Amino acid sequence: DIGANHLSIVEFTKHVAMQGITNRAVFLHVSIPGQDPGAQDLNPDAKFPTMQALGECLVNVLDKLEIKYALGLGVGAGSNIIARFGMKHPTRVLGTILIHPTSTSAGMMEHVRDQIINWKLDSVGHNPSAEHYLVFHKFGYHVEKAKDKMKALEEYKERLHDEINPRNLRMYVEAFMNRTDISQKLSSELVCDVLIITGSKSSFLHSVETMYTHCNPAKCSILRIDDVGDVLDEAPENASQSILLFCQGLGYLTSLGIGGNRSRSGSINTPEK
């Protein structure tokens, strides 16, 4: 996602709730150009790839490693990329797990916020205003009021300062801001099974639900987890259980049992069979 990199997924896969899956699956992490820890400034004259280009080129990674099929997992901006990959290369995708995804183009208010964040990141690097936007994007604006989540917020801000090059991040934010709308193509082109996961306090909850309504109802399920903004950080047990159930529905990881996860209220919509 913007303001993060593959390390957030690595951290999630280390959670005890994911242990059964990680012991039986191979995770291939792809870092967006310039977003990896300690990255140097990208060439300012080079054109940063569009969201569509990023999605389409993922097949090159599979080809290089001689991997025939993969199950895609993406968060935020990354889930938009994974969706585009699934639409472009349906024969290479077993299914997609999209966490806080968006399929529409940037709305006016989002466009204005992104213009502000781009200017600040390009001019002065990270700053409180930029951090506020990125934290809002990742956790949802209600989360700052929750005392029990302040530690997570501070850790995220610290990672932002230590790991993400602000000028490179500006390029990624700009690419996400300029994304094309894929909503009308989802039902016909995203033909694999899809699991959408979001939190009730996600800053993009409305956009997530809009994407769900455009997906093929026979292929797509949505899980809404109550009282969380970032499901991987705040409800990893729920996220891991839903991921496992999704994989088992595809015929994978069927030897794993469901258990040991603490309960959190939520709701899931699946097509009737």
Side-chain angles (χ1 to χ4, degrees):
D1 197 7
I2 59 173
N5 53 38
H6 68 285
L7 294 180
S8 61
I9 298 293
V10 171
E11 192 66 25
F12 170 63
T13 60
K14 290 181 179 179
H15 192 278
V16 63
M18 283 290 291
Q19 184 174 358
I21 296 176
T22 55
N23 287 342
R24 293 167 175 80
V26 175
F27 286 82
L28 174 61
H29 302 281
V30 179
S31 184
I32 301 300
Q35 310 305 305
D36 47 308
Q40 299 298 310
D41 288 354
L42 294 172
N43 184 346
D45 297 325
K47 184 178 180 181
F48 195 85
T50 64
M51 300 295 284
Q52 186 65 31
L54 288 168
E56 292 183 3
C57 75
L58 288 179
V59 72
N60 297 328
V61 178
L62 298 184
D63 289 342
K64 181 68 175 179
L65 298 176
E66 299 183 349
I67 299 174
K68 291 184 177 181
Y69 317 105
L71 193 154
L73 169 64
V75 181
S79 64
N80 186 276
I81 293 171
I82 290 294
R84 293 171 189 271
F85 169 57
M87 295 166 69
K88 182 65 176 180
H89 301 286
T91 62
R92 307 296 294 276
V93 182
L94 298 171
T96 58
I97 301 168
L98 311 178
I99 302 174
H100 305 306
T102 57
S103 61
T104 58
S105 57
M108 183 56 67
M109 291 304 296
E110 183 186 349
H111 183 84
V112 170
R113 291 198 305 267
D114 283 342
Q115 288 285 30
I116 295 172
I117 192 72
N118 280 341
W119 179 83
K120 291 186 178 296
L121 288 171
D122 192 40
S123 303
V124 296
H126 296 301
N127 60 84
S129 297
E131 287 179 344
H132 180 77
Y133 170 80
L134 292 170
V135 170
F136 175 84
H137 173 85
K138 184 171 175 64
F139 293 99
Y141 71 95
H142 289 297
V143 75
E144 268 191 288
K145 299 178 181 179
K147 293 181 180 180
D148 60 339
K149 297 183 178 67
M150 289 305 297
K151 181 179 179 181
L153 285 173
E154 292 304 316
E155 290 176 351
Y156 175 71
K157 290 178 181 179
E158 184 177 344
R159 290 205 308 268
L160 186 62
H161 279 289
D162 293 342
E163 296 178 4
I164 308 297
N165 181 308
R167 287 173 174 77
N168 295 347
L169 176 57
R170 178 194 62 79
M171 296 182 181
Y172 189 19
V173 171
E174 188 175 79
F176 184 59
M177 178 183 66
N178 293 325
R179 66 189 182 273
T180 56
D181 191 326
I182 58 174
S183 300
Q184 302 302 321
K185 301 177 181 179
L186 288 171
S187 61
S188 60
E189 296 186 22
L190 189 58
V191 296
C192 64
D193 287 273
V194 180
L195 172 63
I196 294 176
I197 306 176
T198 190
S200 66
K201 292 186 178 180
S202 167
S203 56
F204 286 94
L205 178 60
H206 177 72
S207 297
V208 171
E209 294 186 335
T210 296
M211 180 174 183
Y212 172 64
T213 62
H214 284 90
C215 289
N216 183 341
K219 290 288 188 177
C220 184
S221 301
I222 184 170
L223 172 68
R224 304 176 187 87
I225 302 177
D226 295 337
D227 299 321
V228 301
D230 187 318
V231 298
L232 296 190
D233 284 349
E234 300 171 58
E237 297 91 347
N238 294 75
S240 63
Q241 179 171 315
S242 61
I243 290 172
L244 176 57
L245 289 172
F246 179 71
C247 291
Q248 290 179 333
L250 297 175
Y252 301 98
L253 304 177
T254 55
S255 63
L256 289 178
I258 302 297
N261 292 337
R262 290 174 295 178
S263 176
R264 183 189 293 267
S265 60
S267 58
I268 186 167
N269 287 358
T270 57
E272 294 183 0
K273 296 184 180 179

